[in-house]
Amino acid sequence: MKKVLAVAMTAVMGLSLAACGGSSSSAASSSAASTSAPASSAAASAASGSGETYTVGICQLVTHDALDAATQGFKDALEEALPGQVKFDEQNAANDPNTCNTIVNAFVADDVDLILANATASLQAAAAATEDIPVLGTSVTEYGVALNIPDFNGTVGTNVSGTSDLAPLDQQAAMIQELFPDAQKVGLLYCSAEPNSEYQVNTVAGYLQDAGLEVEMFAFTDSNDASAVTQSACDYADVIYVPTDNTVASNTGIIDGICQPAGVPVVAGEEGICAGCGVATLSISYYDLGVTTGKMAAKILTGEADVSEMPIEYAPNFTKKYNPTIAEALGITIPDDYEPIVTEEEPAA
């Protein structure tokens, strides 16, 4: 009887232990499942950006078609990537670098999540104001020049990255020769307060001099002396070249009012300037440039990319364009591979 009871007790204990082991294993599996489920949810949330909200400060140097388009492209791309999750604090410095400083310092005080610096002066102000908040530039021609980085290799390596509006300067120089083969003197008109403008005219001057043309620089400091300097350039030159320059962009009416009556054509560094005072340009889409910048911003905000490791990105496409109104007024025949600049006042047929 004792043996029977012992066997029975052993069996019961075995069943009990098996039940405990099964319970333990099940609990572990259940625990693992409960741990992995939130992790998956968190990953999904991070991937979609769900629940996260961000404040982005935008400092735009001046109101101008090109810069406006870049800002709009940036906002559209960011809103598409993170719908309903981004609040924009958009400020315009009215072409005053000191106001750029005031704007970005306010962004830093508000601890925004990212700063868009539209144009060189905005970028310089933002880079000086913070080493922690990610800064993306756009409508900036050359970051090494703008930020005083010797031997710039394409990646800033700090909290700054962005997109460049630099069109191939050798092709711009070749455009001058293509359209005006009889020209002997080229005046390079720009604002001396913009370091990227000086970089552009120096580079273009080298290409033109290599081609045997005579060149001379005509630099104005701001809008106050733009008229007098433009007149001097007209008196000297057969053709005038103006780079991508925000102060030039704000004074195209003055430049056109002097150059067109004098019969001196202007080749411009970008489409907005060309629409105001130029005959031809090698154009990029500033809206597309802004879109590229917005996509970079989305990656930074969601943690997908580290701004310090992001190289500067450039416009992928360039288009030869011309201003039909000024070309006709000056009697200039434009080759067939140039596209007309269409303004709001002159809708496409």
Side-chain angles (χ1 to χ4, degrees), residues 66-84:
L67 303 191
D68 294 348
T71 292
Q72 190 61 54
F74 173 82
K75 292 167 64 178
D76 288 350
L78 202 45
E79 287 173 340
E80 181 178 351
L82 302 170

Side-chain angles (χ1 to χ4, degrees), residues 228-324:
V229 175
T230 300
Q231 185 62 61
S232 296
C234 274
D235 293 342
Y236 164 82
D238 301 315
V239 181
I240 289 176
Y241 170 78
V242 294
T244 301
D245 181 302
N246 293 299
T247 309
V248 168
S250 299
N251 290 277
T252 55
I254 291 174
I255 295 169
D256 184 54
I258 295 171
C259 293
Q260 194 176 152
V264 179
V266 175
V267 172
E270 62 92 16
E271 183 174 337
I273 295 174
C274 189
C277 67
V279 171
T281 185
L282 192 61
S283 178
I284 68 169
S285 167
Y286 276 83
Y287 180 85
D288 291 347
L289 197 69
V291 167
T292 298
T293 318
K295 291 177 179 179
M296 295 173 72
K299 292 179 180 179
I300 294 168
L301 292 173
T302 58
E304 184 180 343
D306 181 345
V307 63
S308 68
E309 298 175 355
M310 300 178 83
I312 303 304
E313 297 195 28
Y314 294 81
N317 301 308
F318 305 93
T319 305
K320 289 181 175 181
K321 290 195 172 185
Y322 75 101
N323 185 326

